[in-house]
């Protein structure tokens, strides 16, 4: 074989290879080709699970593939995170969780061995503000009245319920106590449902709970008192409930629970973009807008991938700052 022939053959092979690379469809163009699994970090029927399952209905229609929802609760959601990290980062195994618990778990639970900032936020499926509730046994109606009572010598110690060390309501409650100089007896529960049940039974005094669903109904029917809402403005569904941050004893105080879908580190960017586009269809859908109104939730504006990641970084920084100021350590 002559040198000229070998050179010509090599050129033809390179041209064929380049042609195959330029004509082969991208991953996003062919994705998805099989069913997807969303591992939800909380029990079935909870606020996060309900929001994620509702979003999955629209995602299925838009992606054209079945989405299987698998609940893997425990350890502030970190067990589900670990399960997602064990699967291939190909866009077929996603994480469904609440942003606050996802971010705080590694700082408060020693078994949570993951770095939140390395995950890719696909988008937010729902968001609800925290509202401070008290049982009907107490006369205080405002934040100032509550703080004055808690600081008054001889007052009965108040019980503040949450759902475990490092959980978002525990962090919110710790921040509130630090700002106001109050000290409550903290009692952990397994979730929002048993907290509300025990408040109705008169066993606990206070709780920071996500607004919506059962919480909203209990407030509207007068079964619990809503002392304040942790948002920048009043909620149209509860126009008489004041903003916690309006109290000079607290200052700016904005906390919400947002449920979201995350892709694990290493997931191809074009796959994340495809999923993000589909989730934005959910954000603007009639189904989502109806849920927002019914649950007095926040309407989540559609975000592209870069906007979603900027939002995530901002929230992550916020929670790390709060955790640092409260000196909460992994348990």
């Amino acid at each position: 074989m002559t040198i000229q022939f070998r050179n010509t053959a090599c050129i033809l092979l390179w041209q064929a290879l380049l042609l195959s690379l330029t004509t082969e469809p991208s991953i996003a163009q062919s994705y998805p080709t099989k069913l997807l699994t969303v591992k939800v970090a909380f029990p079935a029927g909870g606020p996060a699970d309900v929001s994620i399952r509702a979003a999955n209905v629209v995602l299925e229609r838009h992606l054209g593939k079945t989405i299987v929802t698998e609940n893997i609760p425990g350890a502030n959601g970190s067990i589900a995170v670990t399960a997602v990290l064990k699967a291939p980062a190909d866009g077929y195994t996603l994480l469904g969780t609440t942003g606050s618990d996802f971010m705080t778990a590694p700082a408060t639970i020693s078994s949570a061995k993951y770095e939140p900032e390395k995950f890719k936020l696909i988008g937010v499926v729902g968001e609800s503000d925290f509202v401070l509730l008290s049982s009907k046994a107490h006369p205080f109606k405002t934040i100032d009245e509550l703080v004055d009572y808690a600081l008054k010598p001889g007052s009965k110690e108040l019980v503040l319920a949450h759902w475990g060390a490092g959980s978002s309501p525990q962090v919110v409650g710790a921040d509130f106590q630090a700002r106001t100089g109050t000290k409550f007896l903290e009692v952990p529960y397994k979730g929002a449902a048993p907290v509300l049940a025990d408040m109705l039974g008169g066993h606990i005094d206070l709780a920071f709970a996500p607004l919506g669903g059962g919480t909203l109904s209990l407030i509207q029917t007068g079964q619990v008192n809503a002392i304040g809402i942790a948002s920048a403005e009043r909620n149209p569904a509860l126009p008489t409930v004041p903003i916690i941050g309006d109290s000079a004893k607290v200052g700016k105080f904005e906390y919400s629970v947002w449920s979201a879908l995350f892709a694990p580190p290493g997931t191809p960017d074009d796959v994340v973009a495809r999923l993000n586009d589909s989730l934005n269809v959910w954000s603007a859908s009639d189904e989502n807008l109806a849920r927002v109104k019914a649950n007095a939730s926040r309407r989540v504006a559609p975000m592209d991938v870069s906007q979603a990641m900027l939002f995530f970084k901002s929230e992550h920084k916020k929670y790390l700052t709060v955790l640092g100021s409260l000196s909460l350590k992994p348990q």
Side-chain angles (χ1 to χ4, degrees):
M1 181 182 294
T2 65
I3 294 177
Q4 181 179 1
F5 180 81
R6 286 200 301 270
N7 289 341
T8 301
C10 288
I11 291 172
L12 291 173
L13 284 172
W14 274 110
Q15 288 176 337
L17 177 60
L18 289 174
L19 181 62
S20 68
L21 291 175
T22 56
T23 57
E24 183 179 353
S26 69
I27 296 176
Q29 287 176 318
S30 59
Y31 172 90
T33 59
K34 59 183 180 180
L35 65 80
L36 289 76
T37 299
V38 175
K39 297 184 183 295
V40 180
F42 300 97
D49 176 75
V50 171
S51 295
I52 291 165
R53 287 177 185 268
N56 286 350
V57 173
V58 176
L59 285 177
E60 282 187 336
R61 290 205 301 259
H62 193 67
L63 293 172
K65 295 295 177 182
T66 299
I67 298 178
V68 176
T69 305
E70 180 184 358
N71 297 91
I72 310 179
N76 242 27
S78 60
I79 296 178
V81 178
T82 301
V84 169
L85 287 172
K86 290 180 179 178
D90 54 7
Y92 290 97
T93 303
L94 308 174
L95 172 67
T97 187
T98 58
S100 50
D101 294 297
F102 175 62
M103 293 182 290
T104 59
T108 55
I109 299 177
S110 57
S111 61
K113 305 293 186 183
Y114 64 87
E115 299 174 83
E117 65 275 13
K118 291 189 176 180
F119 281 70
K120 299 179 180 182
L121 175 60
I122 297 168
V124 177
V125 301
E127 183 175 12
S128 296
D129 292 311
F130 272 104
V131 59
L132 178 55
L133 305 175
S134 76
S135 74
K136 298 294 290 185
H138 298 290
F140 34 76
K141 305 294 184 182
T142 67
I143 295 297
D144 288 350
E145 289 178 0
L146 165 62
V147 173
D148 290 342
Y149 174 89
L151 296 179
K152 183 179 179 180
S155 294
K156 175 183 176 292
E157 185 176 36
L158 298 174
V159 176
L160 174 69
H162 53 68
W163 31 101
S167 65
S168 46
Q170 194 262 347
V171 172
V172 176
D175 190 19
F176 181 86
Q177 292 174 82
R179 289 167 179 253
T180 58
T182 54
K183 181 65 176 177
F184 306 129
L185 175 62
E186 297 187 29
V187 178
Y189 283 75
K190 292 184 177 180
V195 165
L196 295 174
D198 266 14
M199 179 170 284
L200 291 175
H203 304 297
I204 61 174
D205 303 300
L206 304 168
F208 280 96
L211 181 60
T215 302
L216 177 63
S217 176
L218 291 176
I219 296 171
Q220 291 177 328
T221 56
Q223 297 181 70
V224 297
N225 293 329
I227 301 176
I229 187 168
S231 63
E233 56 188 23
R234 297 196 181 202
N235 192 293
L238 298 170
T240 62
V241 177
I243 300 167
I244 295 176
D246 282 349
S247 170
K249 299 178 185 293
V250 183
K252 184 179 179 181
F253 195 80
E254 298 176 22
Y255 283 100
S256 63
V257 173
W258 46 273
S259 304
L261 293 181
F262 287 89
T267 304
D269 290 339
D270 51 356
V271 169
V272 175
R274 176 86 168 90
L275 289 165
N276 170 263
D277 288 341
S278 300
L279 199 59
N280 283 336
V281 173
W282 157 249
S283 298
S285 69
D286 291 338
E287 292 98 323
N288 183 41
L289 298 180
R291 282 179 50 79
V292 168
K293 184 177 180 179
N295 292 297
S297 303
R298 288 192 188 188
R299 180 176 179 179
V300 180
M303 296 181 284
D304 61 26
V305 174
S306 60
Q307 291 171 327
M309 289 309 297
L310 285 174
F311 167 79
F312 180 44
K313 289 179 181 178
S314 174
E315 287 287 288
H316 191 212
K317 181 179 179 180
K318 170 185 172 180
Y319 271 88
L320 287 181
T321 300
V322 173
L323 290 171
S325 67
L326 300 176
S327 300
L328 295 175
K329 299 183 183 299
Q331 298 182 8

